[in-house]
Every structure is written in structure tokens, then in C-alpha cells.
Amino acid sequence: MKIRSIHIYNHDGQRRDLTFKVEGLNVITGRSSTGKSALSEIIEYCMGRSSFNVPEGVIRDKVAWFAVIYQFEKEQILIAKPSPPSGGASCSTAMLRRGVQLQAPELMNLAVNADDNSVVELLSRLLGIPENRTDVALEHSRDSYEANVKHTFYYLFQKQGLIANKDQLFYRQNEQYQPQAIRDTLPILLGVSSHDRYELESRLRTAQRDLRINKKQLEQARNAVDTSHEQAIGLYSEARSVGVIGDEGSPNADGIINALRSALSWKPEKVPDDDGSRISLLEEEISQLRQDRRDIQARIDAARQFAKRAGGYENEASEQLDRLASIKALPKNPDSGEWQWPFSERNLAMESPVAAALLNELESLDRELRIATGQRPKLEAYLAELTSKVDGAAGAIRQKEAELSAAISANEAISQMGNRNNAAARVVGRISLFMETLLPNEELARLEAQNRRLNNKVEQPEDQIGADDSDERLTSILNNISANLSRYIQKFDAEFSPYPARLNLPQLTIIFDRPERPVPMGRTGGGENHLAYHLSALLALHLFAAKNNRPIPRFLMIDQPTQVYFPSEQVYSDADGSVQKTEADADLDAVRRLFELLLKFTQDEVPGFQLIVTEHANLRDHWFQEALVEQPWTKPPALVPEEWQSR
């Protein structure tokens, strides 16, 4: 797998194409901020990485789509992805296209038909990454996972800030979880874990899982046997206390179990139907009687109030008549019954208006007094009738309350009988559950036999995996890589080159075996040395992968390696892809030695290997100029044309 071309599209449909030689050295040089360092981000983005790490600026503002054509042995794969939405940091949708000879499509023909998962799956399969699973010890909490094409990124990209880093050897090594991912997946990519080994490990994991389940069941069964006797004794005692079983003395263990088994046939006592409906009816009748009594009493109170008011009126009228009579103001004629003027011997016919008024008032008062007096017997009879009704209601209430008390007493007796049945039923229920979970001797024997079989199923693949000597094979592979690592370091003439260097996978570093003590890369000095160590490690790794047909892409992208050969970063940046400035300011011999080594690697060490280098330096050597992908980028030209409009 190599890089055939990179394509970017603006929002108006214009396209910028960048084509590489799929074999040999490719160099892109030029000024700063022209997009050189973004190339590796674009390639990684189009290899199934969702996050887009190109900094904010021209590329994000002006580019709508990114596309890369990847070259495989027999076909090409085009993967295009839209730029993340404004302000976004990731995108997982993609367009996939396969063919023998692909051309970059127009913007109008770009359409999402896949996602990053399908991209990763396709590239992994075409690379030949075998079906696999990372090896994780059972005592570890982390999960195993499948190695894929994304686990090759560590060995494909050397970014500007990494190339001379003394503490970090591989790309993304400083990110969380990535160091362990490198340790887990590199042995798979290097061929330590074969497909046969994967099958063995899969069988082993299944057998170990089944064995763990069996051990748990067997432990539970043995604990159940140990505790069942104590549970049986407790249930036996409860069953006796609630009358489910009788007193059978002090039976042995088997006798207790038999007694408990017989308790399962217990039937509850027949409980009479309660009289709840009768109680409810009586309560309703009492309530109605009490309401009737209250209504009658209210009528009595009203009649008494009326009688009181009537008596008051009668008394007042009588008092007025008595007053008139006492002063003999208007005496009655005893013969005629008429009122007459005082001191007059005959009735003067009351011709005077005053006399007439007085006579009318007296007649009215007398008439009302007679009416009031006449109503008193009726009122007394009415009150007597109401009082009788109240007394009758009170008697009925007392009778109904006696009936209610008797019904409640009867229901309490019924309830007590039901409670006894309920208590017994609960005990019988627990006995039933106990008997169901009581482990027969045959079940315990079955689990023990299953445990022996599963132990054998675990031991067999363990022995085969142990005989596979994977640790020794990994050591052998790393030794092979380390031998070439030492050789490349010597070609760079770096510090500690006289001593054997080895790639240390657990620590993810290079260690120099000096006679007095080993020296890790982090304790060495000088940017030139660290550059040499990084490139030597990657070249040695790719050499092994190519020679042994391991599923690692056959390309390597290096960002600004010659920065260490300039007096300062600013001087390096100011080189601008100029031959003159390179010759004037750089350690020209070291720059030339670096590129010659890289070129030789693609020609002699791994013929056809693809190296892509982004640079500020430039050499006038013919072979270097032939390696240039384009003329030095100076704005313009650059990755993104200057005339493109922002969205």
C-alpha cells in the first residue's frame, strides 16, 4: 500500500492534484505555512481516522473535500472525505471507490457511500492483516481488541515535533492508551501471532471462560451441601411451631428431610366465610339511623324554639290587656260585651276617632291572644310525637350496634384462623424452595466431572501455545530489527554508534548496550543523534516488514528532518526551499548524507519503497531535483491555491 495522489476540492468545484511516485524518494520543499505538514494529516484522515488535526486557517476555510488514491499491488482505492463541518474536529463519513486505474472525480461526483469503519476494514483486508486478537492476560482489566490498519500509523508518520524527540520514538506514543496499543499490536503486525495461534487463543479464551463458570457453579454447589443441613434443621423447627408437622422426637438428617418432604402435602384448615358484607350493611344502617335521629332532633329544636317565641308573645299581649283593665280605661259592658268609655253608663258608639282606634287595637290584640292560646295544645302534641320518634331511633341504634359488635367478634376469630394458615403456608413455601434447591449427590458429581473435562480443554491449547514459543519468536524478530537499527545508526555516524542498539518494546525506546551499563535514547543528547535514532528504527522496521511480507504499508512520511542541521529553527524556516540558502546555512554534508541514505533505502534496501519527505532544504544534486514532486512551494505555488475563496 502506497500513496498515488492527494486531491483537494474547494467549494466551487475546483480541484488541486498532487501526484507522487509510488516508488522511490518524493520531496516537497518550500516556504513555511504552505501546507506541507498538512499532507500527512490528510493521508491519515483518509485512512479511516475520524479526527481531523489540520490547524484552523486556510485549509479548513477553503477546502470542501479531501481525497487520496492508495496504490495496492493489483488495484487502486480512492477514499474521499468531506471537510468537518464548520468548527468541527471530526468526520466519519467517506466515499469509497475501487479500480485498476482510478482518476480523481469532479466535486459534483463526490458522494458519501461509506464510513471510517468500512474504510478501516477494507484497507486492513487488502493489506493482509490476519484475523487476530490482542493478547491480554486474564488478570488484566483491559479488553482485547483486533489490530487493524490504524495500528500501522505509528510507523508511517514522523511529524516535525517528533523527528528529534528524545523521549518519544513512535507517532502518537505520548497519547493516552497508545503506548499499550503499540505493545499489543506490533507483535501481530510483525508475524508473531499467526492465524493458527489466533485460533488457539480463541479456543483457550472460550475454554477458560467455561472453566470459570463451572468453578463458580461447583463452589456454589459445595457451599450448598455444607449449609443444607443447618437450613433443614431450622425449617423443621419452624414447621413444628406452626403445626405443619407433628412432634417426631429428634430425627436424623434423613429423617428431617423426609419430614420436610411430607410437609409439602400440608393442606390449610377450612376457614368459614367472613361476614364482612354483614358488617358493612350494619354500619350503613347505623349511620342512616343516626342521621334520622339528628334530623328529628333538629325538628324538635325548631318546634321548641317556636313555642318559646309564641309563649313570649302571649305573655306580652296578656300583660297589655291587664294594664288596660287595671286602670279601667275601657271597661266592657257586662251585658253586651262591648267596650265603653269610662264613667259612661251607656255606649256612646265610639264616635270619637281616638276611641275607634283604641277599640280596633284592643279587638286585634284579643283575637291574636285567643289564636296563640288555641295553638298550644297542637304544638305540645307535635313535640310529644317527635320525642317518641327520637327515642325509637335511639333504641334501633343500640340494637344495631349490638349486632355489629357480634359480627366483628366473629370475623376476628375467622381472621386468627386465616393467620395461622398464612404462617403455615409461608413455612411450607420456604420448605418447597429448599427442597427444589437441595442439591442431589448426582448433580455435585456431574459438576466435578465437568470441571475435570474443562481443565483438560484449557490445558491442551495452553500447551500448544506454550510450545509455539511466541515470546522467543518476538525476541528473535526484535533482535533482527535491532541489528539493522545498529547498522543504520552507524551510517548516520551518530553518537553511541559503536555500541549495539536494540529496539525495546516494553519501554518503546532504543537502548544502547554499553559494556558498563545500558543507555536509553532519552539519556542521549543532540538533535542530530535523535533524528538518526528515529529514522534508523523506522527504516529497520520497514526493512523487516518488506523482507518478510508483513502487513505494514510500504511508505513512510517524514516531516522536516533536516531541521537539526541548521543553526536555528528560524534559519531553517527561512531556507524557503532555496538551494542557495541551504548551501549557505545548513550542514550540507549531513543534509546530503541523510537524503542519500533515504534514496539508497528505496533503491537497494527495499526496492520500490515509497518515501515522502516535506522540507525547507533543497539540494542542487540531480538525483535530489528528480525527487521533487513539484517546484518549491512559495505561495504560490502551495497546497491550497491562493485564489481559492473561503466558504
Side-chain angles (χ1 to χ4, degrees):
M1 175 181 171
K2 302 174 186 178
I3 310 301
R4 183 70 186 88
S5 57
I6 297 175
H7 310 272
I8 61 175
Y9 301 78
N10 72 359
H11 299 275
D12 297 326
Q14 296 174 296
R15 190 182 73 222
R16 166 84 158 97
D17 303 322
L18 192 62
T19 303
F20 299 92
K21 294 180 291 186
V22 294
E23 297 183 357
L25 180 63
N26 294 262
V27 179
I28 299 176
T29 186
R31 293 178 57 183
S32 299
S33 303
T34 54
K36 299 187 301 295
S37 297
L39 294 176
S40 62
E41 302 290 353
I42 295 171
I43 292 172
E44 188 178 3
Y45 183 58
C46 292
M47 284 180 69
R49 184 173 185 180
S50 299
S51 59
F52 187 58
N53 296 324
V54 172
E56 295 287 343
V58 172
I59 298 177
R60 283 180 174 266
D61 293 340
K62 294 186 176 183
V63 180
W65 277 74
F66 303 88
V68 179
I69 296 178
Y70 299 95
Q71 181 69 56
F72 287 84
E73 184 177 0
K74 296 181 179 180
E75 67 175 315
Q76 293 178 346
I77 305 295
L78 180 140
I79 300 172
K81 296 184 65 175
S83 180
S86 182
S90 64
C91 174
S92 59
T93 58
M95 172 182 168
L96 267 174
R97 184 175 290 180
R98 303 175 65 173
V100 177
Q101 194 70 37
L102 295 177
Q103 300 295 325
E106 298 299 323
L107 178 65
M108 66 180 68
N109 296 323
L110 295 176
V112 170
N113 63 4
D115 57 18
D116 284 337
N117 290 333
S118 53
V119 168
V120 169
E121 191 278 330
L122 175 63
L123 295 182
S124 300
R125 180 160 46 84
L126 293 178
L127 270 175
I129 297 177
E131 188 177 11
N132 65 86
R133 205 74 188 168
T134 58
D135 187 18
V136 179
L138 290 175
E139 62 271 15
H140 291 177
S141 60
R142 58 191 176 89
D143 297 327
S144 63
Y145 54 92
E146 186 176 353
N148 55 54
V149 68
K150 291 198 289 186
H151 297 107
T152 68
F153 292 175
Y154 311 119
Y155 323 111
L156 304 181
F157 306 105
Q158 280 282 294
K159 306 297 179 75
Q160 178 182 0
L162 171 63
I163 194 72
N165 191 314
K166 68 176 181 175
D167 300 315
Q168 182 183 344
L169 182 60
F170 297 117
Y171 174 50
R172 300 184 65 190
Q173 183 180 323
N174 62 332
E175 298 178 19
Q176 191 178 19
Y177 308 121
Q178 299 306 316
Q180 190 58 53
I182 296 173
R183 299 185 191 103
D184 289 342
T185 60
L186 184 57
I188 295 173
L189 297 175
L190 294 178
V192 174
S193 298
S194 64
H195 182 70
D196 292 341
R197 179 180 174 87
Y198 169 75
E199 292 292 335
L200 284 173
E201 291 174 341
S202 181
R203 284 169 46 197
L204 177 60
R205 282 192 294 271
T206 301
Q208 287 172 328
R209 182 200 62 212
D210 293 342
L211 181 60
R212 288 196 300 272
I213 295 173
N214 171 264
K215 284 182 176 179
K216 186 176 181 178
Q217 293 174 338
L218 186 58
E219 182 182 2
Q220 292 173 343
R222 288 168 175 168
N223 290 337
V225 170
D226 293 338
T227 60
S228 61
H229 185 61
E230 288 78 6
Q231 293 177 356
I233 292 174
L235 289 171
Y236 179 80
S237 176
E238 288 187 58
R240 287 182 57 190
S241 67
V242 297
V244 173
I245 56 178
D247 189 359
E248 301 180 6
S250 301
N252 57 21
D254 290 339
I256 290 174
I257 296 298
N258 290 332
L260 293 177
R261 190 174 287 111
S262 67
L264 297 177
S265 61
W266 170 86
K267 302 293 184 185
E269 297 180 66
K270 176 107 173 132
V271 180
D273 295 334
D274 65 16
D275 209 7
S277 60
R278 172 65 175 163
I279 292 174
S280 299
L281 181 60
L282 288 170
E283 288 176 340
E284 291 176 2
E285 290 178 352
I286 292 171
S287 178
Q288 185 59 50
L289 287 171
R290 287 172 176 169
Q291 183 62 46
D292 293 345
R293 186 176 63 179
R294 286 193 294 271
D295 293 342
I296 296 169
Q297 188 62 51
R299 291 161 61 188
I300 290 173
D301 293 341
R304 287 174 176 171
Q305 187 66 28
F306 176 80
K308 183 179 180 182
R309 289 196 300 270
Y313 175 78
E314 183 180 344
N315 292 336
E316 181 68 23
S318 296
E319 186 178 344
Q320 294 297 328
L321 288 173
D322 290 343
R323 285 179 185 152
L324 291 173
S326 66
I327 62 173
K328 298 182 181 195
L330 290 172
K332 276 186 177 182
N333 187 316
D335 296 329
S336 64
E338 295 179 350
W339 299 98
Q340 62 185 22
W341 287 108
F343 318 115
S344 177
E345 293 183 0
R346 65 181 184 90
N347 191 353
L348 299 179
M350 302 299 177
E351 294 175 357
S352 170
V354 175
L358 285 171
L359 286 174
N360 288 334
E361 184 66 26
L362 284 171
E363 288 176 359
S364 176
L365 189 62
D366 190 42
R367 188 171 51 256
E368 290 177 3
L369 183 60
R370 286 196 302 271
I371 292 171
T373 304
Q375 292 293 328
R376 187 181 298 115
K378 294 180 180 179
L379 184 59
E380 290 175 353
Y382 179 68
L383 285 172
E385 181 185 355
L386 291 178
T387 302
S388 177
K389 288 183 178 180
V390 167
D391 293 340
I397 288 172
R398 287 192 296 272
Q399 181 181 350
K400 295 294 182 183
E401 285 178 340
E403 294 179 19
L404 177 63
S405 178
I408 291 173
S409 298
N411 272 16
E412 287 178 350
I414 294 171
S415 177
Q416 290 176 359
M417 187 180 296
N419 289 338
R420 288 195 301 272
N421 283 344
N422 290 338
R426 286 193 292 271
V427 174
V428 172
R430 289 200 297 275
I431 292 173
S432 176
L433 180 62
F434 171 76
M435 298 302 293
E436 288 177 2
T437 58
L438 186 64
L439 186 71
N441 293 333
E442 298 80 11
E443 179 64 13
L444 182 60
R446 185 190 69 80
L447 289 171
E448 289 175 338
Q450 186 183 42
N451 183 262
R452 291 190 295 270
R453 290 195 302 271
L454 290 173
N455 271 309
N456 291 331
K457 288 182 69 175
V458 168
E459 290 173 357
Q460 184 179 2
E462 280 182 340
D463 293 340
Q464 292 177 281
I465 291 173
D468 190 47
D469 296 329
S470 60
D471 291 340
E472 293 185 7
R473 291 198 294 122
L474 177 60
T475 300
S476 177
I477 290 172
L478 292 178
N479 287 341
N480 185 288
I481 293 172
S482 296
N484 286 307
L485 166 65
S486 298
R487 180 167 63 86
Y488 288 128
I489 291 175
Q490 291 172 0
K491 289 180 178 292
F492 278 105
D493 195 24
E495 189 179 11
F496 296 99
S497 60
Y499 306 108
R502 53 186 167 91
L503 178 61
N504 185 288
L505 186 58
Q507 300 179 33
L508 298 181
T509 190
I510 295 171
I511 294 180
F512 297 92
D513 290 318
R514 297 180 67 182
E516 54 274 22
R517 67 179 181 277
V519 179
M521 181 179 71
R523 294 213 300 266
T524 65
E528 295 184 32
N529 295 317
H530 301 143
L531 168 69
Y533 305 152
H534 280 76
L535 291 183
S536 296
L538 290 173
L539 294 178
L541 227 166
H542 279 286
L543 176 63
F544 178 87
K547 296 294 185 184
N548 294 276
N549 196 29
R550 302 312 309 152
I552 297 177
R554 301 292 188 260
F555 74 88
L556 172 62
M557 293 196 70
I558 309 170
D559 188 24
Q560 305 180 35
T562 66
Q563 58 186 305
V564 300
Y565 302 129
F566 283 77
S568 69
E569 289 186 18
Q570 186 60 49
V571 173
Y572 175 63
S573 180
D574 292 342
D576 292 340
S578 166
V579 171
Q580 291 77 14
K581 290 184 178 180
T582 302
E583 292 176 344
D585 297 325
D587 182 346
L588 195 58
D589 290 338
V591 171
R592 184 173 284 108
R593 183 168 59 250
L594 167 65
F595 280 105
E596 286 177 343
L597 191 152
L598 296 178
L599 180 64
K600 185 176 177 63
F601 183 85
T602 67
Q603 293 176 339
D604 300 334
E605 300 272 358
V606 186
F609 190 84
Q610 183 183 46
L611 269 166
I612 301 174
V613 184
T614 54
E615 264 295 340
H616 290 304
N618 195 356
L619 300 176
R620 66 175 67 250
D621 300 72
H622 176 71
W623 54 267
F624 188 93
Q625 293 298 310
E626 284 189 342
L628 293 180
V629 176
E630 294 184 340
Q631 289 301 307
W633 288 3
T634 59
K635 279 191 176 181
L639 177 62
V640 179
E642 193 172 37
E643 66 272 15
W644 280 14
Q645 299 298 312
S646 300
R647 56 182 168 183

